[in-house]
């Protein structure tokens, strides 16, 4: 695996390559990231990964400074997989050589709800850096995980509206045996919090089962989960059942006609903010 730190080096390595598969990350890699690399290898050649902690997507009171940076360990993990041809690991001066005055702002219908409402600049930061990375890498396909469900949809919408020639592939959420979605932020959990953390996914499963059993008052179902989390010491931001296709609330008749749904949630457990989601069909 070749490790490059400049855009010029990256483009030299990829000159003439027409089937590049790309996996952008912020590093601190774990098993879920490595699964993304393997999926990318199935759909393109060569595979390019990037590691860049993007300041633009962190709010003023978020964990940019303490976000784990483990480049040497990440390199070893990627080399062990043998799926990645080039790792692009730029510093901030390389990717943002001047103030980034041109920024991508997702629209209200997708970018300003759920995560966008609680983290106002998050999707602006994600969209801007992804577009910049796509410009550097010029991939044919790019792989994103479903754990960041709304992010996946924002990136797809950006590619569609800017007519970018990049196919966005979605990888299923990778979980520990107890159901907790793998995340770099899981390392912030204390032992007691780590034991409690799978509760979030368990409650999403309860929402799915409740809707499938015929209950249709979604605000009541969502409020019950919020209350349950609070009673267990969590600080929930949202629990929301939405249509998979656009993350808008389903209409009453759609609940009985098989509209594919997803329940999404975000909540703090101690100092760690966890997000998760679960896709489901009502009629299954």
């Amino acid at each position: 695996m070749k490790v490059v730190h400049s855009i010029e080096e990256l483009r030299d390595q990829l000159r003439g390559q027409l089937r590049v598969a790309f996996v952008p990350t912020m590093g601190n890699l774990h098993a879920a990231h490595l699964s993304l690399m393997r999926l990318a290898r199935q759909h393109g050649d060569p595979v390019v990964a990037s590691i860049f902690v993007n300041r633009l997507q962190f709010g003023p009171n978020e964990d940019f400074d303490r976000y784990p940076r483990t480049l040497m360990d990440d390199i070893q993990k990627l080399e062990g997989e043998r799926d990645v041809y080039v790792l692009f690991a730029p510093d901030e001066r390389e990717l943002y050589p001047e103030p980034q005055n041109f920024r991508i702002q997702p629209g209200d219908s997708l970018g300003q709800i759920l995560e966008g409402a609680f983290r106002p600049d998050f999707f602006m930061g994600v969209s801007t850096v992804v577009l910049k990375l796509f410009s550097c890498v010029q991939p044919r396909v790019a792989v994103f995980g479903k754990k960041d469900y709304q992010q996946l949809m924002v990136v797809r919408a950006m590619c569609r509206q800017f007519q970018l020639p990049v196919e966005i592939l979605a990888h299923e959420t990778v979980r520990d045996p107890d159901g907790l979605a793998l995340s770099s932020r899981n390392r912030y959990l204390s032992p007691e919090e780590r034991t409690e953390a799978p509760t979030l996914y368990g409650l999403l499963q309860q929402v799915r089962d409740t809707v499938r059993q015929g209950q249709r008052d979604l605000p009541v179902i969502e409020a019950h989960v919020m209350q349950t989390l609070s009673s267990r010491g969590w600080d929930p931001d949202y629990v929301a059942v939405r249509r998979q296709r656009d993350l808008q609330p389903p209409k009453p008749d759609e609940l009985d006609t098989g509209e594919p749904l997803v329940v999404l949630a975000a909540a703090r457990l101690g100092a760690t903010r966890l997000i998760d989601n679960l896709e489901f069909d009502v009629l299954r």
Side-chain angles (χ1 to χ4, degrees):
M1 184 181 73
K2 304 179 187 303
V3 181
V4 301
H5 302 282
S6 74
I7 297 170
E8 182 179 2
E9 290 177 292
L10 174 69
R11 288 175 173 165
D12 283 344
Q13 291 295 330
L14 298 179
R15 188 166 286 113
Q17 299 286 355
L18 302 177
R19 298 182 61 248
V20 174
F22 179 44
V23 183
T25 82
M26 293 205 300
N28 193 223
L29 304 182
H30 47 66
H33 292 112
L34 301 182
S35 294
L36 301 181
M37 309 298 168
R38 291 192 287 272
L39 179 61
R41 188 67 181 84
Q42 296 173 23
H43 293 270
D45 182 27
V47 173
V48 177
S50 69
I51 292 176
F52 180 70
V53 183
N54 177 38
R55 186 186 298 271
L56 285 186
Q57 68 193 67
F58 287 79
N61 298 314
E62 295 184 342
D63 59 348
F64 174 79
D65 290 327
R66 71 186 186 108
Y67 192 88
R69 293 158 171 83
T70 55
L71 181 60
M72 298 310 298
D73 185 52
D74 293 342
I75 289 173
Q76 290 183 351
K77 289 178 180 177
L78 291 175
E79 288 179 334
E81 286 296 310
R82 300 183 181 276
D83 285 311
V84 179
Y85 173 64
V86 175
L87 171 62
F88 179 43
D91 62 20
E92 282 195 285
R93 287 175 297 180
E94 179 66 21
L95 212 54
Y96 296 120
E98 58 185 73
Q100 187 67 35
N101 297 321
F102 291 88
R103 302 184 181 193
I104 304 299
Q105 185 64 59
D108 293 346
S109 63
L110 183 59
Q112 305 301 317
I113 61 173
L114 302 173
E115 281 296 285
F118 284 90
R119 304 178 68 190
D121 292 327
F122 175 69
F123 289 122
M124 175 278 296
V126 168
S127 300
T128 301
V129 77
V130 169
L131 183 61
K132 179 166 280 199
L133 288 169
F134 282 178
S135 177
C136 296
V137 177
Q138 304 266 309
R140 183 180 69 86
V141 299
V143 181
F144 291 80
K146 282 189 179 181
K147 186 185 80 69
D148 297 288
Y149 199 90
Q150 190 174 359
Q151 172 180 279
L152 170 66
M153 295 193 66
V154 166
V155 171
R156 279 181 165 162
M158 181 185 71
C159 289
R160 184 175 64 250
Q161 294 190 15
F162 281 99
Q163 299 181 352
L164 302 180
V166 185
E167 179 184 2
I168 305 301
L169 302 178
H171 191 289
E172 296 296 331
T173 301
V174 180
R175 301 182 182 277
D176 278 332
D178 60 6
L180 178 63
L182 297 190
S183 169
S184 297
R185 289 185 169 91
N186 290 352
R187 65 164 52 195
Y188 299 155
L189 297 169
S190 70
E192 295 78 12
E193 291 167 348
R194 176 60 187 80
T195 299
E196 170 65 19
T199 297
L200 185 62
Y201 183 56
L203 289 170
L204 299 187
Q205 293 173 307
Q206 288 184 25
V207 171
R208 174 199 62 194
D209 296 343
T210 299
V211 176
R212 283 180 174 173
Q213 290 164 7
Q215 296 195 35
R216 296 292 182 261
D217 195 335
L218 298 183
V220 169
I221 296 171
E222 295 161 354
H224 174 72
V225 174
M226 295 272 284
Q227 292 167 2
T228 300
L229 287 168
S230 295
S231 70
R232 297 180 67 95
W234 296 67
D235 182 14
D237 284 341
Y238 61 83
V239 175
V241 178
R242 298 298 173 92
R243 299 186 303 217
Q244 289 182 25
R245 56 187 167 93
D246 58 8
L247 294 189
Q248 295 303 305
K251 298 176 182 177
D253 63 304
E254 292 174 330
L255 294 174
D256 297 313
T257 57
E259 176 75 29
L261 303 177
V262 57
V263 53
L264 309 101
R268 290 188 182 277
L269 183 57
T272 306
R273 188 174 186 271
L274 300 178
I275 65 171
D276 206 345
N277 64 82
L278 178 63
E279 294 177 313
F280 66 97
D281 294 322
V282 177
L283 302 181
R284 180 175 299 178

